[in-house]
Amino acid sequence: MRKLLRHSIGSSLFVHVLSGALIGLGGMSYFFYRTLEGNATSEIQSSLKTQVKSIELQLASVQQSSEDLEASVRTLHRLRNQDPEAYKQLVFELFQHRSPLTMALGFGQFPDQIVPDRQWYWPYFYLDQKSPGQIGQLLPPPNDKIRFADLFKDDNYPTQDYYKLVIQARGDVWLEPYLWYGLTLTTFSSFIYDDQNREIGITGQDINVSVLSQQIQTSVKGGGGYFAILSQKGNLLAYPPDQEKAKKLASFKDVPELNRVWSQFQSQPSGILQSDGSYWAYERVHGTNWIMLASVPQSIVLLPVLSITVGGAIGAGAVLAIVVVLFIRRLNRRLEPILQGCQQLAQTDAQRLSRLNCAAEETTALTLPARNADEIEVLQSAFQQMATQLNQSFEELELRVEGRTVELTQAKEFADSANRAKSEFLANMSHELRTPLNGILGYTQILQRSTTLDRKDSSGVRVIHQCASHLLTLINDVLDLSKIEARRMELDPQDFSLSVFLQGVVEMCSIRAKQQEIAFEYEFQPNLPKRVHADEKRLRQILINLLGNAIKFTDRGYVKLTAMNCRDSKSHRVRFEVEDTGLGMTPDQLQQIFLPFEQVGDVEKRAEGTGLGLTISQTIVELMGGSIQVESQINQGSRFWFEIDLAPALDDLCDAPEFDKARIIGVIGSHRKILVVDNHAENRSVLRSLLEPIGFKIFEAETGKAGLSEALRICPDLLITDMAMPEMNGDALLKHIRQLPELQNLRVIMSSASVFERDQQQSFAAGADAFLPKPIEVDRLFKLLQELLQLEWIYKNLYSESEDVLSPELSETITLPDSTTLSTLYDLVRKGLLNDLTHQLEALEQSNPSLKSFCQPLRGWAEDFQLKKIRSFLEQHL
């Protein structure tokens, strides 16, 4: 202990800490006490706010009932309905759906405003209290608990306060509480305006205050306290300590403790104060002239606070004393080697300054502490020179950081400006290109549904559709790159048939291969999973990008697509491979092909794409859990492949019918009316041509204003509107429609060539039920119509029953090829090689005309990918 108390930093620390402990603990205890007291009062205010919010929620339903009544009366008035019975029935129906607090409901007209043949008219329904002298008539069963009165005849309402006070206030009014057949009520009244914002009447709604009094019986805190509600003039609406006073319409003057603090509640809308040994929290009830109070005795709050504060101060003082002693012992042991190092540093600095011709006295005063200095003084002297040098270094660093910050700020502003310009460019480009594509793809889908086209014409329409779809893919590539940069690329997995999907990819790419005059081969192993759950659109995008590049850069030879199961027949790990005999790439080019806007190979063929396909495809494959790999040799060809896990389908349903197998030809039920609003005539024409033939009534409007007028005129079942239109755009049109009572339930599809995520969010925010991007896909349109209008379609099979499976009599008259040829054809069908099957059938028909009746049905089924029918037919004759 003597060593501890010697002249050192330890002894100084011990003396100063312990001497300041009393002051510190005293101050800490005070602030701790104030904090706990503040927490307690905050808890009181929080409990009060919770009760106020509960009351406000119930009163909101009261105000909503008045707003519903006002809107309903205004609607009948707009329709020029002057029948008093109609208004009576309206009030009765709204009274049946009233708020739980509502005891009575009605409205009164200003002289000759609503029912002109009566100067004064106030239909009024209220709950029967089974008391003598009640006004009005009791309704017959089953409504024999309700009474009806005309308050002009039964109460002469122009002379009553509930009418005159509203006129004087020129706004919503909450009346002071009053006794009504044994209950304490208050009345909420508001004005009724017509469409020209003229006052034509007032609503009146009587509220049962006694119900509110029963709801606030709980204590404010666990130990006690109560809530109370008073009107603006201080009349008691709810007072749990003495409910009889509230029932007798007592005021704050009848309660001494309230009388002493009432005047202090008027200065602020909410707060808390102390008076007569209690805390008083108060807050206004929004939308009314009420004030709600919470009263809690101070003893309930302060006794726990004092216990915690005193106990904490004593415990903290004891712990602090022990900690200081232990800390000083440990500090002394650690400081000894540091002090020795500092003394050596001071001596070294003194010798260095001496060599620089500095005076010895000045050097000692500057660098060496006094002999009786404590450890801190020694450390201060040793580090003084280092602190000076560090300050200089920090000043230089601050200047460099400041300059660098200015450069980074300027660079960020430039980048933000470039990003905004890019986003605006992409949005405008997408809209301008998608608008004409909507007409092209729309009419190709219409023509594909036609039954009058022969196979040659149907094939031509398919080529137009595929070419336009390819152009749309290029547009989507640019938009997908924007999503990748913003890290918003997402997958949308769905169930689909893998074999049907692959045959569709083959059909699309075979046409381009024929145009390139190269062979297109494909091999799909039979153990591939049948139905999978994945993003069909994105997987198709990957394969078409890889196959499109292979075909584009291959002038001779072949392009081959292979799909195989990586493990066993039960596995869903599938490997896709694209191989070509094209130009190939050098090792340097292989490192650039996955970069955005990078194109390698023949300069003439680079212009055919955007340079984004491989970048987007790699990103999508990575989202699916794989990676695109590539091998290539210059002038010999390339091979791309990737492996992904395709989850099994979520359902066990068979494949959905293809579009040209089961066609929609009508709708069960009445003809639905659809209003199409679009400033482009070709877009309206596409929708009309698609929907009119299957039973919809189509109406058109060229502008948003015209569409609003037409919607009010015909009251359609569905509205399909464009987003960008002159005068009034689609968002503004929806906002107007949602404000009209007669059109509030109208189902709306927003259709736009602007397909960014913000455009879709903007559409839903405006009130759209669905978003339909342009160009319009028929399947997606029909699906939305079915969901929004709850439709049941009428289907028609393209093939009659006699065409689906050949009859036995017809099968007997067909000339069949030999068994070897039948086995070869069956093997091609089993492998899914439909192109090879078609070529084999053409060769058979040319070599032996008698086989025409055998080849023609098979060729038709092959063109429509009817694999099951072909396999079933061949199995009958093998």
Side-chain angles (χ1 to χ4, degrees):
M1 191 67 179
R2 293 178 179 176
K3 183 178 180 181
L4 182 67
L5 295 176
R6 71 183 182 182
H7 185 74
S8 66
I9 185 174
S11 60
S12 300
L13 181 62
F14 183 81
V15 173
H16 287 89
V17 168
L18 290 184
S19 62
L22 294 176
I23 300 174
L25 286 175
M28 181 191 70
S29 299
Y30 172 77
F31 286 111
F32 187 53
Y33 168 82
R34 297 295 295 179
T35 300
L36 291 177
E37 183 186 23
N39 291 339
T41 55
S42 297
E43 182 181 353
I44 296 172
Q45 290 179 298
S46 177
S47 299
L48 177 62
K49 287 182 181 293
T50 301
Q51 287 291 339
V52 170
K53 289 297 181 184
S54 176
I55 299 297
E56 289 175 350
L57 286 175
Q58 298 182 67
L59 296 181
S61 62
V62 172
Q63 294 177 337
Q64 184 61 47
S65 296
S66 294
E67 292 174 3
D68 293 343
L69 177 58
E70 179 186 353
S72 301
V73 171
R74 182 169 59 250
T75 301
L76 283 182
H77 184 67
R78 182 192 308 124
L79 298 175
R80 302 184 184 279
N81 191 321
Q82 301 177 357
D83 183 8
E85 290 300 321
Y87 288 98
K88 175 182 176 182
Q89 182 63 26
L90 171 65
V91 176
F92 176 70
E93 291 177 357
L94 292 176
F95 180 74
Q96 289 180 313
H97 298 86
R98 67 192 179 277
S99 161
L101 297 177
T102 301
M103 298 296 295
L105 180 68
F107 78 91
Q109 73 169 7
F110 290 167
D112 308 317
Q113 289 295 320
I114 299 176
V115 183
D117 61 346
R118 300 187 184 186
Q119 182 180 13
W120 303 98
Y121 178 57
W122 190 310
Y124 177 78
F125 289 89
Y126 68 95
L127 291 177
D128 180 43
Q129 300 301 310
K130 301 185 182 301
S131 299
Q134 297 182 88
I135 63 174
Q137 300 174 350
L138 195 64
L139 299 183
N143 300 308
D144 51 356
K145 294 182 180 181
I146 301 174
R147 283 182 174 272
F148 168 75
D150 184 344
L151 292 189
F152 175 66
K153 297 178 180 179
D154 297 328
D155 203 28
N156 193 19
Y157 72 84
T159 64
Q160 301 297 333
D161 286 344
Y162 58 81
Y163 178 81
K164 294 190 297 183
L165 292 178
V166 178
I167 303 302
Q168 295 173 3
R170 312 303 299 175
D172 296 349
V173 169
W174 288 85
L175 297 185
E176 290 296 315
Y178 57 88
L179 295 178
W180 185 77
Y181 301 123
L183 297 176
T184 303
L185 301 186
T186 184
T187 297
F188 174 69
S189 299
S190 61
F191 277 101
I192 302 175
Y193 298 91
D194 62 8
D195 292 339
Q196 285 73 40
N197 205 31
R198 293 176 301 190
E199 300 164 352
I200 59 175
I202 62 172
T203 65
Q205 192 172 178
D206 297 337
I207 310 304
N208 188 351
V209 177
S210 302
V211 174
L212 298 178
S213 180
Q214 297 171 2
Q215 294 178 358
I216 59 173
Q217 294 289 340
T218 58
S219 61
V220 182
K221 287 179 65 66
Y226 65 87
F227 297 101
I229 304 177
L230 291 85
S231 69
Q232 185 176 13
K233 294 183 179 180
N235 294 317
L236 296 177
L237 278 76
Y239 186 63
D242 190 350
Q243 294 289 0
E244 292 301 320
K245 288 187 177 182
K247 292 181 180 180
K248 296 179 181 180
L249 298 182
S251 71
F252 69 92
K253 297 179 181 178
D254 300 317
V255 182
E257 59 180 0
L258 287 176
N259 190 26
R260 286 189 291 271
V261 296
W262 174 252
S263 61
Q264 302 180 55
F265 298 154
Q266 311 304 314
S267 59
Q268 298 291 336
S270 63
I272 189 168
L273 53 89
Q274 300 179 29
S275 177
D276 292 340
S278 295
Y279 291 101
W280 293 87
Y282 58 95
E283 185 164 342
R284 307 287 176 180
V285 180
H286 180 71
T288 70
N289 59 357
W290 301 351
I291 183 171
M292 192 168 185
L293 308 177
S295 176
V296 180
Q298 284 182 314
S299 58
I300 295 176
V301 176
L302 297 185
L303 286 178
V305 170
L306 288 173
S307 299
I308 295 173
T309 302
V310 173
I314 294 174
V319 171
L320 181 62
I322 296 172
V323 169
V324 168
V325 172
L326 295 177
F327 175 74
I328 291 173
R329 291 180 179 275
R330 187 177 183 85
L331 180 63
N332 287 335
R333 288 196 298 268
R334 294 295 180 89
L335 283 178
E336 288 180 0
I338 298 176
L339 292 175
Q340 293 176 0
C342 290
Q343 291 174 356
Q344 294 177 0
L345 178 63
Q347 293 174 0
T348 301
D349 286 343
Q351 294 173 1
R352 180 175 59 83
L353 292 176
S354 178
R355 288 195 300 269
L356 294 176
N357 298 322
C358 293
E361 295 79 8
E362 294 178 357
T363 301
T364 303
L366 180 62
T367 59
L368 297 177
R371 291 187 178 182
N372 60 351
D374 61 20
E375 294 89 338
I376 293 298
E377 292 172 339
V378 174
L379 290 174
Q380 179 182 1
S381 176
F383 288 107
Q384 186 174 11
Q385 294 179 355
M386 286 189 293
T388 303
Q389 184 176 358
L390 285 175
N391 285 334
Q392 295 175 352
S393 300
F394 280 134
E395 290 176 358
E396 181 181 356
L397 180 60
E398 287 177 356
L399 293 175
R400 295 175 61 186
V401 169
E402 183 178 356
R404 191 60 176 168
T405 302
V406 172
E407 295 177 3
L408 291 175
T409 302
Q410 294 174 349
K412 182 179 182 300
E413 292 176 353
F414 178 78
D416 291 342
S417 176
N419 280 331
R420 287 193 297 270
K422 182 192 70 175
S423 298
E424 293 176 1
F425 167 75
L426 290 178
N428 293 332
M429 182 202 71
S430 172
H431 185 275
E432 294 302 321
L433 293 179
R434 284 174 176 269
T435 298
L437 276 178
N438 185 51
I440 298 173
L441 289 174
Y443 272 100
T444 57
Q445 293 176 95
I446 293 170
L447 292 173
Q448 285 176 337
R449 291 171 48 81
S450 174
T451 59
T452 60
L453 296 179
D454 56 25
R455 294 188 181 277
K456 181 178 180 181
D457 292 337
S458 297
S459 178
V461 171
R462 232 178 358 252
V463 171
I464 296 174
H465 184 80
Q466 290 165 354
C467 293
S469 297
H470 179 66
L471 178 57
L472 181 60
T473 300
L474 297 180
I475 299 171
N476 289 335
D477 282 348
V478 178
L479 299 183
D480 284 343
L481 179 65
S482 177
K483 291 181 181 179
I484 292 172
E485 292 177 345
R487 302 182 184 273
R488 294 179 180 174
M489 175 72 76
E490 296 179 352
L491 299 179
D492 181 21
Q494 296 178 353
D495 291 351
F496 65 93
S497 169
L498 185 59
S499 60
V500 174
F501 163 79
L502 290 174
Q503 290 297 336
V505 172
V506 168
E507 183 185 25
M508 294 178 64
C509 296
S510 296
I511 297 173
R512 295 191 61 189
K514 288 180 180 179
Q515 294 173 347
Q516 194 79 357
E517 297 181 353
I518 59 175
F520 184 82
E521 301 176 4
Y522 53 93
E523 180 180 354
F524 306 144
Q525 290 188 354
N527 63 347
L528 288 173
K530 294 182 179 180
R531 285 178 58 77
V532 297
H533 184 74
D535 193 328
E536 180 182 7
K537 174 185 172 183
R538 294 300 184 183
L539 184 57
R540 181 183 293 109
Q541 184 178 1
I542 297 167
L543 293 179
I544 290 178
N545 271 328
L546 296 178
L547 290 168
N549 285 339
I551 294 170
K552 179 170 64 173
F553 292 103
T554 301
D555 294 327
R556 56 182 176 78
Y558 66 89
V559 171
K560 183 178 181 181
L561 170 64
T562 304
M564 65 186 73
N565 202 321
C566 297
R567 296 167 187 163
D568 51 46
S569 59
K570 296 182 180 179
S571 171
H572 284 69
R573 182 76 175 180
V574 179
R575 176 187 176 106
F576 298 94
E577 186 174 303
V578 175
E579 182 181 0
D580 65 70
T581 57
L583 300 177
M585 291 172 284
T586 65
D588 292 338
Q589 291 173 334
L590 288 177
Q591 297 180 0
Q592 301 177 11
I593 58 175
F594 292 110
L595 299 177
F597 303 106
E598 287 290 341
Q599 294 178 295
V600 299
D602 191 348
V603 175
E604 295 181 358
K605 297 184 178 182
R606 295 184 193 176
E608 297 180 10
T610 60
L612 298 174
L614 288 177
T615 303
I616 296 169
S617 297
Q618 182 70 286
T619 301
I620 298 173
V621 172
E622 289 174 353
L623 286 176
M624 293 181 171
S627 177
I628 298 178
Q629 307 295 324
V630 58
E631 291 180 353
S632 183
Q633 292 186 5
I634 194 71
N635 297 325
Q636 294 187 21
S638 304
R639 184 169 66 95
F640 289 79
W641 74 91
F642 62 93
E643 295 180 7
I644 56 175
D645 290 318
L646 298 178
L650 300 180
D651 58 59
D652 297 327
L653 301 176
C654 62
D655 295 343
E658 296 178 27
F659 187 73
D660 55 353
K661 284 184 180 178
R663 306 187 58 189
I664 297 172
I665 61 173
V667 181
I668 298 176
S670 59
H671 295 288
R672 271 65 164 194
K673 293 182 290 186
I674 297 180
L675 174 60
V676 180
V677 182
D678 199 308
N679 60 314
H680 292 282
E682 59 271 20
N683 293 338
R684 303 195 304 272
S685 177
V686 167
L687 290 172
R688 178 180 289 276
S689 301
L690 279 171
L691 300 179
E692 269 191 347
I694 58 176
F696 290 97
K697 292 184 179 179
I698 306 300
F699 300 85
E700 297 183 18
E702 188 174 358
T703 65
K705 289 184 178 180
L708 183 60
S709 300
E710 189 72 359
L712 288 171
R713 185 181 71 84
I714 66 174
C715 292
D717 299 292
L718 178 73
L719 169 66
I720 303 177
T721 177
D722 188 28
M723 179 183 291
M725 294 183 294
E727 296 183 6
M728 179 189 291
N729 60 24
D731 294 344
L733 173 60
L734 255 65
K735 291 177 181 177
H736 280 82
I737 286 176
R738 294 309 184 202
Q739 293 174 357
L740 297 174
E742 55 269 44
L743 296 178
Q744 284 183 349
N745 297 323
L746 175 63
R747 310 313 297 269
V748 179
I749 297 176
M750 181 74 80
S751 181
S752 176
S754 299
V755 295
F756 282 92
E757 184 178 351
R758 63 173 181 271
D759 300 314
Q760 301 185 35
Q761 293 176 350
Q762 181 180 348
S763 300
F764 290 122
D769 297 291
F771 183 84
L772 183 63
K774 295 179 181 177
I776 292 174
E777 296 179 7
V778 173
D779 291 344
R780 186 167 184 176
L781 172 63
F782 284 178
K783 183 178 180 181
L784 288 177
L785 293 178
Q786 183 176 14
E787 292 175 354
L788 296 178
L789 299 180
Q790 302 298 310
L791 301 177
E792 292 186 39
W793 300 113
I794 301 174
Y795 294 94
K796 176 182 178 183
N797 290 331
L798 282 178
Y799 298 98
S800 64
E801 294 180 0
S802 61
E803 292 175 320
D804 287 345
V805 179
L806 296 178
S807 65
E809 295 79 3
L810 185 58
S811 298
E812 293 176 359
T813 62
I814 291 178
T815 302
L816 299 174
D818 57 78
S819 59
T820 303
T821 303
L822 287 174
S823 298
T824 301
L825 296 177
Y826 183 77
D827 188 55
L828 292 175
V829 175
R830 187 175 59 83
K831 293 180 179 180
L833 303 177
L834 293 183
N835 277 348
D836 294 343
L837 175 66
T838 302
H839 295 325
Q840 187 74 17
L841 291 173
E842 291 176 352
L844 281 174
E845 189 174 347
Q846 292 176 0
S847 63
N848 189 355
S850 63
L851 297 176
K852 182 176 181 181
S853 59
F854 168 81
C855 295
Q856 280 189 342
L858 295 181
R859 287 172 57 189
W861 291 336
E863 291 179 2
D864 294 322
F865 300 101
Q866 304 288 322
L867 295 175
K868 293 181 181 178
K869 292 181 182 178
I870 301 174
R871 189 165 55 246
S872 176
F873 175 74
L874 293 177
E875 287 173 350
Q876 297 175 13
H877 301 286
L878 281 173

